[in-house]
Amino acid sequence: MTENLTKQTIGVGVAGTGFIGPAHVEGLRRNGIHVLGLAEATPELAEQKAAQLGIPRHYGSLDEMLADADIDVVHLATPNHLHHPHAKAALLAGKHVVCEKPLAMNTAESSELVKLAAEKKLVNAINFNIRMYPLAQQARSMVQSGVLGDLFILHGSYLQDWLLFPTDWNWRLEPELGGTLRAVGDIGSHWLDLLTFITGLRVEEVYADFKTFHPVRKKPAKPLETFTGKILTPEDYIDQPIHTEDYATIILHYENGVRGVLTVSQVSSGRKNRLYYEINGAKSSLVWDSEKPNELWIGHRTEPNQVLLKDPSLLSTEVRDTASYPGGHNEGFPDTFKQFSAKVYNYILAGDFSKTPDFPTFADGHYEMQLCGAIELSAQEGRWVKVAK
């Protein structure tokens, strides 16, 4: 590893160039961190994507990137089933690791990564980026300072429609690639992490109901790129049985007697990417909608309700640095990657790894694996399941 790292000398490598990989690259650049290398499944694809993104080095495999002594930090934006082996390899190679969620395919794998990162004394982060919206940070500040009073109920949903039709297809539908949880693991985990971040409360037990509305989907018989520019016909598909959930509703028993309920769906027509939560306390309530991320509704019993618009001058002092623009200048999804990267790299460059990180770590990723495991078991067996501690 390079000694006395600075923004100019730190070597960053990104593995994976689907939807999320380029978002990492953009977030890093906005913080003055330049990506040195890019790894993909083949040398040809790596070279093509590196040219598109303006990245100087390209590697035909993760191992090739890990062998580059100039790489200090690795960002993993690869499919779910590769997260554990890739993160393990990067840690063993002495690299700091930033990983997309889920951290692994099961709790045994995620636990191993938490322990390995600690043993190697390497920085580890998992991209629960929704924490980084300015009003998510503000909600945490308000809850933790007692503005809402004792908490009663945490409820909400995460709804999408990108898998509404039986002809909609993605690798996440295949358990061997995406895991045995789909809607819950892919988007429900963000809601669960966010509410734990805001409230500081952990879930004690869960009761879950799942439904697969499309038990058989139409999978393209050839890679989708093959069909670019033409309409698919029935013979272009094959029937594919589906074994993961399109929908879930989960009853949550939190610490301190707090109650919660979450609905997750990837088949809700018109909902493109809507994370919604409501927190009810003894004094006040909070409501936030990710499709209107610059508004925080504050509910009262004995005075008019309020809508707080994102404005650094109106936010709590300790969270103002997560808002980069003045009031009336909206901040959205790409900005969460900027703020996430800023926290991770400020921590790395400061060099004091004994300090508690102010970003989600592998320990948070492991907790979500424990929570999701309990949810899956509850849905399978139709009973309350306690969350492992």
Side-chain angles (χ1 to χ4, degrees):
M1 302 291 289
T2 306
E3 297 296 328
N4 302 316
L5 294 172
T6 66
K7 285 187 178 181
Q8 286 70 42
T9 64
I10 194 166
V12 180
V14 175
T17 57
F19 164 57
I20 290 295
H24 280 261
V25 173
E26 178 187 344
L28 288 162
R29 284 175 172 162
R30 292 176 66 192
N31 282 292
I33 304 289
H34 299 288
V35 177
L36 178 62
L38 178 70
E40 254 298 349
T42 67
E44 295 76 19
L45 183 58
E47 182 177 11
Q48 173 192 348
K49 293 294 185 177
Q52 290 176 357
L53 295 169
I55 295 172
R57 301 184 191 179
H58 53 84
Y59 317 93
S61 69
L62 180 77
D63 288 341
E64 187 180 337
M65 183 165 72
L66 296 180
D68 187 339
D70 293 333
I71 296 293
D72 303 296
V73 190
V74 172
H75 287 240
L76 299 175
T78 49
N80 297 355
H81 72 291
L82 296 175
H83 291 176
H84 169 259
H86 282 181
K88 182 177 179 179
L91 291 171
L92 290 173
K95 317 294 186 182
H96 303 299
V97 181
V98 178
C99 187
E100 273 300 318
K101 55 85 202 153
L103 181 57
M105 296 288 269
N106 55 62
T107 55
E109 291 181 348
S110 58
S111 176
E112 180 187 17
L113 293 177
V114 172
K115 293 175 182 176
L116 182 58
E119 290 170 2
K120 295 292 185 179
K121 295 181 171 58
L122 291 166
V123 177
N124 53 94
I126 187 161
N127 188 33
F128 284 120
N129 63 294
I130 298 177
R131 292 188 185 192
M132 301 302 165
Y133 280 103
L135 292 182
Q137 301 279 324
Q138 176 67 14
R140 173 183 168 86
S141 175
M142 294 173 69
V143 170
Q144 298 293 329
S145 64
V147 171
L148 273 67
D150 291 338
L151 299 183
F152 291 162
I153 311 164
L154 317 178
H155 49 111
S157 59
Y158 201 148
L159 309 178
Q160 300 175 328
D161 71 358
W162 69 292
L163 293 174
L164 176 64
F165 301 133
T167 51
D168 291 326
W169 190 261
N170 181 269
W171 59 262
R172 290 176 175 83
L173 290 158
E174 302 183 61
E176 62 273 18
L177 301 180
T180 54
L181 282 183
R182 192 213 325 145
V184 173
D186 188 24
I187 56 177
S189 58
H190 272 296
W191 191 99
L192 294 162
D193 175 77
L194 181 63
L195 271 292
T196 291
F197 170 71
I198 291 171
T199 67
L201 296 174
R202 297 235 167 180
V203 178
E204 294 183 334
E205 59 180 352
V206 299
Y207 193 101
D209 175 54
F210 287 5
K211 178 68 176 179
T212 303
F213 293 103
H214 296 304
V216 176
R217 286 182 178 266
K218 301 292 185 181
K219 179 181 180 180
K222 299 178 181 178
L224 289 175
E225 290 79 4
T226 303
F227 299 106
T228 301
K230 71 184 282 287
I231 297 174
L232 275 66
T233 60
E235 58 267 23
D236 293 323
Y237 294 101
I238 57 174
D239 286 345
Q240 182 68 44
I242 300 299
H243 303 291
T244 54
E245 78 285 359
D246 291 320
Y247 151 93
T249 287
I250 307 153
I251 303 174
L252 304 152
H253 285 180
Y254 284 88
E255 298 170 303
N256 303 335
V258 176
R259 293 299 190 251
V261 62
L262 165 64
T263 294
V264 180
S265 166
Q266 293 176 321
V267 292
S268 294
S269 181
R271 295 300 187 189
K272 304 307 175 186
N273 189 52
R274 182 181 186 258
L275 186 156
Y276 174 93
Y277 70 75
E278 178 163 336
I279 303 173
N280 303 128
K283 297 179 182 178
S284 300
S285 297
L286 292 180
V287 172
W288 185 78
D289 178 345
S290 70
E291 292 186 347
K292 300 176 182 178
N294 293 274
E295 300 178 11
L296 183 66
W297 183 89
I298 307 169
H300 304 291
R301 166 73 181 268
T302 59
E303 59 185 279
N305 297 331
Q306 301 168 276
V307 175
L308 172 64
L309 298 180
K310 189 275 305 178
D311 183 333
S313 67
L314 300 177
L315 302 182
S316 301
T317 303
E318 69 271 20
V319 304
R320 286 177 185 167
D321 63 352
T322 58
S324 297
Y325 299 98
H329 297 76
N330 287 338
E331 295 178 59
F333 183 80
D335 299 282
T336 66
F337 283 79
K338 172 189 172 184
Q339 300 298 349
F340 174 74
S341 294
K343 289 184 181 295
V344 172
Y345 281 83
N346 286 341
Y347 186 86
I348 292 174
L349 295 172
D352 181 7
F353 300 161
S354 65
K355 184 180 178 181
T356 300
D358 58 351
F359 51 85
T361 67
F362 281 10
D364 297 293
H366 175 57
Y367 171 65
E368 286 305 314
M369 293 301 302
Q370 292 175 306
L371 184 49
C372 286
I375 290 168
E376 184 174 19
L377 182 60
S378 174
Q380 290 171 345
E381 298 188 357
R383 63 177 178 88
W384 284 97
V385 173
K386 292 190 179 298
V387 181
K389 293 183 180 180

